Amino acid sequence: MVRARRFDVLVFLSILLVLGGCVAPVTPEQSTPTDASDGTVGASAQTPNSVGTPVASTAPVVTVTVVDVVDGDTMKVRYENGTRDTVRLLGVDTPETYGENTPDEFEGVPETDAGRQCLRRYGEQASEFATDTLDGRTVRLGFDENEGRRGYYDRLLAYVYLDGEQFNYRLVAEGHARMYDSQFVERTRYAAAERAAQEANRGVWNCATAAADGGSEATETVTESNDGPLRLSLHADAAGADGDNLNDEYVTLTNTGSKSLALGGWTVADAADHVYTVPTGTTLASGESLVIHTGSGRDSDTDYYWGRNSPVWNNDGDTVTVRDETGTTVAVHRSG
């Protein structure tokens, strides 16, 4: 009888082992989907890239495609099943481009026409930045346990992740937006990023120094990064409203050397990394100048046109950096 009992136990254990081998462990991707937007799309939570967020609850859970950027903090997206939605970015507020700006929402920005105009310019730049970065891209959305799923206008409130990086945070860190005053879980991290941007006078926080009379005059002072022959000057403050007179906003490149400069493939960039590339074959003879206008027109021997639809250079101070075709800095101009 003892042998029979031992045999029965062995058989029972063998059956358990076989059954255990047939059951695969549950992975995060196989877990129950998380509702994304009223049941439209669901996906499981994944561990975010460390660049994205340290808060696990805000990790990306939904995949969408950005089909239109409304402004710096609002965009339209398409879900994988073809339905569409409007997303308002959590925790951030970029300056208005369509409505009137309220300077006192941006700490230190003067309650003047100059302050409001400066905010509008940076609002346009934030919109361009969001368009250049996100339009047409596949991104992931995360949500916030302290905020409702939808806002006052029924827009989806979300964090947007591109390649594992949280775009909302990047807007604040790079000075494209202020931190929105609410109780979202990322608030502490965003507040630190905003302080750093303010202290560096980065992006929209340049508006804190806007003069009450409409901004500082453009300066022709040149600060060079080396002893090369290229000289730069910046005319940032166009006559009237900058956005209505883009070709009166320009950078001038002058060759003070004794030999011609082959500029093809060289780049001209501002502090926010808007980049113009000089056309191939461009040569600047000794003593000659080339003017690069922000707006549109037909290039000539002396004047080139960037072809942008909104201002680039900040009236209250900016940095012009010229690099050659290898990416080496040739000259730097700082104003303001």
Side-chain angles (χ1 to χ4, degrees):
M1 293 298 291
V2 174
R3 288 184 180 179
R5 289 175 182 170
R6 288 179 178 173
F7 176 80
D8 290 342
V9 171
L10 290 173
V11 169
F12 178 73
L13 292 175
S14 297
I15 291 172
L16 286 179
L17 289 173
V18 170
L19 290 175
C22 294
V23 179
V26 177
T27 65
E29 286 296 325
Q30 295 169 323
S31 60
T32 303
T34 300
D35 175 49
S37 57
D38 303 330
T40 303
V41 177
S44 59
Q46 294 180 347
T47 301
N49 186 297
S50 59
V51 177
T53 172
V55 183
S57 64
T58 65
V61 294
V62 178
T63 299
V64 298
T65 299
V66 178
V67 295
D68 182 38
V69 173
V70 178
D71 55 30
D73 54 35
T74 308
M75 61 203 62
K76 297 182 183 297
V77 301
R78 183 179 63 246
Y79 294 104
E80 292 178 310
N81 68 359
T83 58
R84 300 197 176 204
D85 214 338
T86 300
V87 173
R88 175 61 168 84
L89 301 186
L90 276 164
V92 302
D93 183 34
T94 60
E96 298 293 334
T97 56
Y98 300 109
E100 190 71 21
N101 281 292
T102 306
D104 62 8
E105 292 181 344
F106 291 80
E107 184 180 352
V109 177
E111 188 71 42
T112 62
D113 287 340
R116 283 185 283 273
Q117 290 173 12
C118 184
L119 286 173
R120 181 173 294 277
R121 283 200 307 276
Y122 277 103
E124 291 170 348
Q125 289 189 17
S127 295
E128 290 181 7
F129 176 68
T131 299
D132 293 344
T133 306
L134 298 178
D135 195 26
R137 300 293 299 275
T138 296
V139 301
R140 307 245 317 144
L141 304 181
F143 304 99
D144 195 294
E145 59 193 315
N146 287 354
E147 300 288 339
R149 186 58 59 91
R150 291 187 179 273
Y152 182 77
Y153 298 104
D154 199 38
R155 296 175 299 187
L156 190 65
L157 304 178
Y159 297 100
V160 170
Y161 293 83
L162 178 64
D163 298 329
E165 182 179 13
Q166 195 183 85
F167 183 74
N168 311 43
Y169 178 80
R170 184 177 177 187
L171 284 175
V172 175
E174 295 186 10
H176 295 293
R178 71 181 179 97
M179 182 189 76
Y180 195 81
D181 190 16
S182 68
Q183 297 304 312
F184 63 106
V185 297
E186 293 266 27
R187 182 182 178 86
T188 300
R189 189 166 75 108
Y190 277 44
E194 182 183 77
R195 284 194 300 273
Q198 289 173 326
E199 291 170 0
N201 210 33
R202 188 178 302 133
V204 68
W205 304 112
N206 273 307
C207 294
T209 60
D213 61 0
S216 57
E217 293 296 321
T219 176
E220 299 298 316
T221 302
V222 174
T223 302
E224 291 182 280
S225 61
N226 57 28
D227 295 325
L230 188 67
R231 297 292 187 273
L232 309 178
S233 64
L234 172 64
H235 187 267
D237 193 0
D242 288 2
D244 296 333
N245 194 11
L246 294 174
N247 285 337
D248 195 36
E249 183 186 87
Y250 53 83
V251 176
T252 302
L253 282 61
T254 301
N255 180 5
T256 63
S258 59
K259 298 180 181 179
S260 295
L261 291 174
L263 301 182
W266 289 27
T267 60
V268 179
D270 71 346
D273 205 29
H274 296 102
V275 180
Y276 171 82
T277 302
V278 180
T280 301
T282 299
T283 300
L284 190 61
S286 174
E288 292 189 349
S289 296
L290 174 64
V291 180
I292 301 175
H293 302 270
T294 297
S296 299
R298 179 174 293 182
D299 290 353
S300 67
D301 290 341
T302 58
D303 294 81
Y304 281 5
Y305 296 86
W306 197 329
R308 296 188 64 87
N309 297 319
S310 60
V312 172
W313 308 105
N314 302 322
N315 294 348
D316 52 353
D318 213 330
T319 299
V320 184
T321 303
V322 175
R323 297 181 176 88
D324 64 20
E325 68 278 6
T326 69
T328 301
T329 299
V330 175
V332 176
H333 162 93
R334 295 183 178 87
S335 63

